Amino acid sequence: MVFDLFRGAGHSQIDLIESQVQDMLAACGETLDMALDALWGRVDAATIEKALKKRDRSVNRNERAIRRELIVHAGVRGASVDIPIILVYMSIIKDIERVGDYTKNIWDLA
């Protein structure tokens, strides 16, 4: 069957998704640092605008990609998929994306 190719990589696929989630969280942390630096006047807000917005778009893109990968993983694995883990990851990436939105709000204050 065609799906056997994908079904064999269950844990490695989740490991890849976890790595992407960690990268997404690191990017949000960096943008938060940038926005706080601008808010406290350590950096001119206009100078970081382009970089901050670029990172935010990247975080949004990663959120959509991870969601897509989770859905594909659940669809391919069928009954053997651990649905609670899929739902937890969905919730986590939504929260991380929200941190990116809050970061833009902090930058707007600067």
Side-chain angles (χ1 to χ4, degrees):
M1 183 172 196
V2 174
F3 291 120
D4 289 339
L5 175 67
F6 298 109
R7 287 192 176 136
H11 290 293
S12 64
Q13 189 174 14
I14 290 295
D15 291 341
L16 175 64
I17 290 169
E18 185 174 323
S19 172
Q20 290 172 316
V21 169
Q22 290 173 354
D23 292 344
M24 191 176 159
L25 186 58
C28 278
E30 292 170 4
T31 57
L32 181 60
D33 288 341
M34 292 166 56
L36 288 173
D37 284 344
L39 182 65
W40 301 128
R42 293 183 282 236
V43 174
D44 182 34
T47 61
I48 64 166
E49 177 181 12
K50 191 178 243 183
L52 189 127
K53 289 186 176 184
K54 182 179 179 182
R55 279 226 177 107
D56 183 59
R57 284 190 303 271
S58 172
V59 166
N60 292 343
R61 219 176 9 259
N62 286 341
E63 179 200 11
R64 290 188 300 270
I66 293 170
R67 282 178 174 266
R68 191 171 30 255
E69 289 174 25
L70 287 168
I71 295 300
V72 167
H73 176 73
V76 170
R77 300 290 294 174
S80 68
V81 73
D82 192 3
I83 294 295
I85 288 176
I86 300 293
L87 295 175
V88 166
Y89 275 123
M90 290 271 195
S91 178
I92 287 170
I93 61 171
K94 185 63 183 170
D95 290 342
I96 294 171
E97 190 274 334
R98 195 171 297 128
V99 168
D101 293 342
Y102 292 151
T103 297
K104 283 193 304 185
N105 293 345
I106 291 170
W107 177 81
D108 286 340
L109 289 173

